[in-house]
Each structure stands twice: as structure tokens, then as C-alpha cells.
Amino acid sequence: MSHFDFIVIGAGVIGTSVAHHLASLGARSVLVVERGMIGAGTTSQSSGLLRTHYSVRQNVELARASWWAFNNFAEYVGDDEASCGLVKCGYMICAPDGPKLDPLRASLDAQRAMDIEVQLLGRDEARERLPIAQFDDAALIGFEPEAGFADAYLVATSFAKSARRRGVKILEGTTVTGLVREGRRVVGIETNAGRFTCATLISTQNIWTPELSGWIGVPLPVAAERHTVLALECEARYSYQMPAFKDLGSAGMLYYRSYGGSQMLVSEGVVGETLNAPETEQGDISLDYVAEVGAQVAERFPAYETAGLASSWTGVYDVTPDWNPVLGKMGDIEGLVVGFGFSGHGFKLSPAIGKLLAQHALGQPTDVSLAPYALERFATGALLTGKYGLGAVS
Ligand SMILES: Cc1cc2nc3c(=O)[nH]c(=O)nc-3n(C[C@H](O)[C@H](O)[C@H](O)COP(=O)(O)OP(=O)(O)OC[C@H]3O[C@@H](n4cnc5c(N)ncnc54)[C@H](O)[C@@H]3O)c2cc1C
């Protein structure tokens, strides 16, 4: 068979979510084409944090719309054995006096106005929840009890399994090399396994979206940016009961969570290293870098002054100028839907994004408006820039 109603390029957590939702919403003929293996792109590099905390209200909406799926994952994908690896440890975020304080207060207020449970903690209450940290400088501490983290690879493979069970065909090891066009309409793809035609093409190519840009001849604002993640180990264990934590007071806007129930996973929430080409190869991590991040960690977590480096890795974000995704159609090109530019925070949004893109592709009303995420915002100036500066909180 070489004709499908829908073709999805990419089987990361976004593409597999689109496929799952297309099939759940009644699409009969869906093909997913993946160059490598399911989830083996940037999805497998994810830190997996789940929160609804954002300074951009539209993102709060998308994160909230995704939350039921993570909490009821087996039911959501219709498979009793499915798990997303959810660790519901809560999410704590703190700011000292200074420029991040008012944005944090406004974001917490906005969440509460949307009926999301958010608590304000005193320093002692924060220490009770995260006893390995000190909060002497904290002027405001927010806590989201329903948040936590999960496993993005498990989510992608579960979405893929569900999609396959519902009749979706997933071709791994197959590369899309170009589009088939009839005037302004996209009608198919060229691959190393031949030509496939479709009524609607959905590109979820992440850092490889510049390929699409070349095929359609439209510049797309997305760059590949490498980020480093460290796992640290010391006697002060970072247990699964301790919340994930965002330190708006640190130079690197560091985020933390438990890693394996005892180690600390830490990474920066600021602009990373721009790559000239999309690739997920491991980058160099210098000892100077580890020392620089380690010094910031030790300020917040004193026992980590003498922590050892247990492991480290790099991952790549698909970053747009306002650090928020582009969702929906591509100008006046017909038959094409895109989802790219997740800028390091796409996992927590993946159930909602998959459903919204599927609804959009099916011509159905979307649960949440995609209009704020239109490509045109970069021309009109209606950007979705977060209030904490550029970085993955948005
Ligand atoms: C280090 C790191 C930490 C992160 N932490 C978090 C976090 O804590 N919370 C959070 O919400 N998000 C986080 N993210 C972001 C989140 O993981 C990503 O937004 C999400 O996984 C992206 O999924 P995707 O499907 O868009 O991309 P990918 O998983 O990269 O999938 C795209 C797929 O498209 C395929 N493809 C591309 N072009 C072609 C082609 N021409 N032919 C065939 N196949 C093609 C690729 O092979 C790839 O598998 C993090 C990301 C990184 C890198």
C-alpha cells in the first residue's frame, strides 16, 4: 500500500502522540515514517520533568491538558501494562529578591487563577520537603504537588504501540528525502523505500525540521541547541520523595530532580550551544563546566560540595526565537501540518500537542486554540516569550 490519509514524519514523543491520537479519533489510514527507531531522537535524551508551571499562560493550558494522560497513562493508551514511569514528587520553584521575583509571583498567581493547585511555602516548609537544600536567600517559594517527572522514551514507545494496535503503520529505518507536490498542495513524500502519497502530511521532525524548510522553500525559525545534563552523587541522597526543583536564583537557572532514587540530576535552564547541523551525537563536557555548575549546586545543596560526578550526557533542543513551539499549518501550503520548536519543554506537553495536531489534521475543532503558536507570530511580533528570560521554563 502506498497511499495513506495521513503520513507523520518522525516517531519521537510528538509524532507517536499524533499517530495515537489520529487513530483514537477515528483516522483509518495512517503511516509514520522514522529514520531511526521509535523514540531514539531527542526524546530519549529528555529529563522528563512534568509541571504546569510556565510564565506563558498558553503553555499552562497545554501542560494542564496533558496532565490527565500522565496520571492515567494505562487507561489513556488503552493498555493495562503501559506505564509512563511517573514519579509524582511535586515541583518546587524559588526566587530570591531580584528580577525573577515578580514574574514568579505573577506566574503562581496565574496558575491559581486557573484552579491549579499551587502552594506558597515558607523556608522551613521548603526544607521539610527538600531537606538536602538550604533556602536562606529565598524570597518566594512555590510548590506544585501534582507535578513530577516521567520517562519520555516509555511514553513514545507506548503511544507507538497503541497506534499500531489501532492500525497505524510505523516504518522504522526509513528516511524521508523530499516531498511530492501538486502546486501549493503537499500530496506525498519521497523516501529511501519509495514514494508514499497522502491527503495530509504532519511533520514532527524536531531538530531536523530544516530539512522540511528546504523541501518547501520556506525559512523556518528553528535551531539545534545542545544542553548538558549531570548526575551527581553524595551521601545526601536525592530521593524520589523529594520534589523536582527549579532555582531561579542560580546563574544557570538550574533545574534538579532525583535520578534513580538517590542521585541528583541537574541541568541548566539557559541558552545552550548552537549546533551548525542537526545531530544528537554526544558533545564534550569539560571539567571546567562541571566545576562551574557544581559550584552553583553546592550553594543550594551544601552537602554536594564534595559530590562526585556519577554520569553526564548531552541532549539537543529544537529552539525557536521565543522558546515556544510552532503548531499548525504552514502559510498557504495545503496538506501540511507541523509541530516543531519545542525548545526543551515538549515532553510534558506531548499528549495535548498530539491530540491538538490530530484534531487540526482531521479538520476538527481543537480543544485548545493553536492560533498563539502560529508561525506568523515571528512576523507579526506576537511572540510567546517567557518572563524568566530565554530558557526552558518559558
Ligand atoms: C536534555 C533534554 C532535556 C529535556 N528535558 C525535558 C523536560 O524535563 N521536560 C519536558 O517537557 N521536555 C524536556 N525536553 C524536551 C523534550 O524531550 C522534547 O521536546 C521532545 O522529546 C521532542 O520530541 P519530538 O518528537 O519533537 O522529537 P524527536 O524525539 O527528536 O523526534 C523526531 C524524530 O523525527 C525523525 N526524523 C526527522 N527527520 C526525518 C526524516 N527526514 N525522515 C525520517 N525521520 C525523520 C528523527 O529521526 C526523530 O526520531 C528535554 C530535551 C532534552 C534534549
Side-chain angles (χ1 to χ4, degrees):
M1 186 163 131
S2 62
H3 180 81
F4 293 82
D5 292 342
F6 300 92
I7 294 180
V8 180
I9 311 178
V13 76
I14 301 296
T16 55
S17 177
V18 171
H20 158 84
H21 286 95
L22 277 171
S24 305
L25 291 169
R28 292 259 172 80
S29 134
V30 182
L31 172 70
V32 180
V33 183
E34 165 57 51
R35 182 185 346 245
M37 291 184 331
I38 293 162
T42 66
T43 290
S44 57
Q45 304 173 328
S46 186
S47 301
L49 261 72
L50 306 175
R51 53 171 162 82
T52 63
H53 186 95
Y54 275 104
S55 65
V56 172
R57 187 191 51 75
Q58 289 88 346
N59 289 340
V60 182
E61 203 66 71
L62 292 183
R64 178 164 65 175
S66 296
W67 189 237
W68 197 90
F70 291 117
N71 264 298
N72 304 276
F73 194 66
E75 189 182 341
Y76 196 76
V77 294
D79 178 353
D80 288 347
E81 290 178 2
S83 165
C84 65
L86 177 64
V87 177
K88 210 164 163 175
C89 54
Y91 175 80
M92 194 189 286
I93 180 165
C94 90
D97 279 322
K100 305 290 189 314
L101 186 58
D102 285 343
L104 176 59
R105 198 184 311 280
S107 303
L108 295 170
D109 286 348
Q111 277 180 291
R112 290 170 138 186
M114 294 167 77
D115 287 331
I116 292 169
E117 188 184 351
V118 176
Q119 300 164 8
L120 298 184
L121 303 183
R123 292 176 191 168
D124 290 342
E125 291 169 304
R127 248 189 307 269
E128 273 170 35
R129 293 193 180 276
L130 192 52
I132 55 177
Q134 64 81 18
F135 298 93
D136 295 349
D137 63 331
L140 185 62
I141 307 170
F143 180 63
E144 191 182 329
E146 289 293 305
F149 59 90
D151 186 319
Y153 181 75
L154 272 182
V155 171
T157 48
S158 301
F159 275 143
K161 193 173 165 195
S162 158
R164 275 183 166 143
R165 226 179 29 251
R166 292 164 209 264
V168 172
K169 188 174 173 60
I170 303 180
L171 277 184
E172 295 177 89
T174 307
T175 300
V176 179
T177 53
L179 301 185
V180 186
R181 303 270 296 265
E182 282 175 5
R184 298 302 298 164
R185 174 166 280 280
V186 173
V187 295
I189 53 171
E190 302 286 1
T191 78
N192 60 342
R195 172 179 289 196
F196 298 92
T197 56
C198 60
T200 305
L201 178 69
I202 300 136
S203 161
T204 62
Q205 290 176 255
N206 199 275
I207 56 171
W208 295 273
T209 300
E211 291 178 345
L212 176 73
S213 183
W215 300 332
I216 60 177
V218 175
L220 297 173
V222 61
E225 200 179 273
R226 186 181 276 150
H227 288 257
T228 298
V229 186
L230 308 178
L232 305 179
E233 193 168 38
C234 78
E235 279 178 8
R237 291 157 53 96
Y238 200 134
S239 74
Y240 279 146
Q241 284 70 41
M242 296 177 189
F245 176 60
K246 177 77 181 180
D247 188 354
L248 294 173
S250 61
M253 301 262 286
L254 300 181
Y255 70 81
Y256 301 86
R257 70 162 174 84
S258 173
Y259 188 60
S262 63
Q263 295 176 358
M264 165 194 281
L265 180 153
V266 56
S267 186
E268 289 188 305
V270 290
V271 173
E273 175 199 357
T274 301
L275 301 179
N276 292 327
E279 45 122 338
T280 50
E281 298 305 311
Q282 287 299 297
D284 291 333
I285 303 171
S286 71
L287 283 179
D288 284 351
Y289 176 85
V290 175
E292 188 191 314
V293 173
Q296 294 176 53
V297 173
E299 273 182 39
R300 183 64 65 199
F301 296 86
Y304 279 74
E305 175 89 54
T306 54
L309 181 64
S311 54
S312 60
W313 59 94
T314 59
V316 186
Y317 297 177
D318 53 336
V319 174
T320 66
D322 66 0
W323 281 63
N324 274 300
V326 173
L327 305 173
K329 62 188 182 60
M330 279 286 80
D332 63 349
I333 300 175
E334 293 168 33
L336 178 63
V337 175
V338 297
F340 67 85
F342 295 98
S343 307
H345 60 100
F347 171 53
K348 67 181 70 58
L349 311 177
S350 59
I353 302 262
K355 185 171 184 198
L356 296 172
L357 291 181
Q359 288 173 324
H360 181 72
L362 284 158
Q364 298 177 359
T366 53
D367 291 349
V368 177
S369 171
L370 293 183
Y373 296 94
L375 176 67
E376 286 71 24
R377 73 179 187 274
F378 297 105
T380 62
L383 299 182
L384 293 171
T385 311
K387 297 185 182 65
Y388 300 125
L390 296 182
V393 172
S394 278

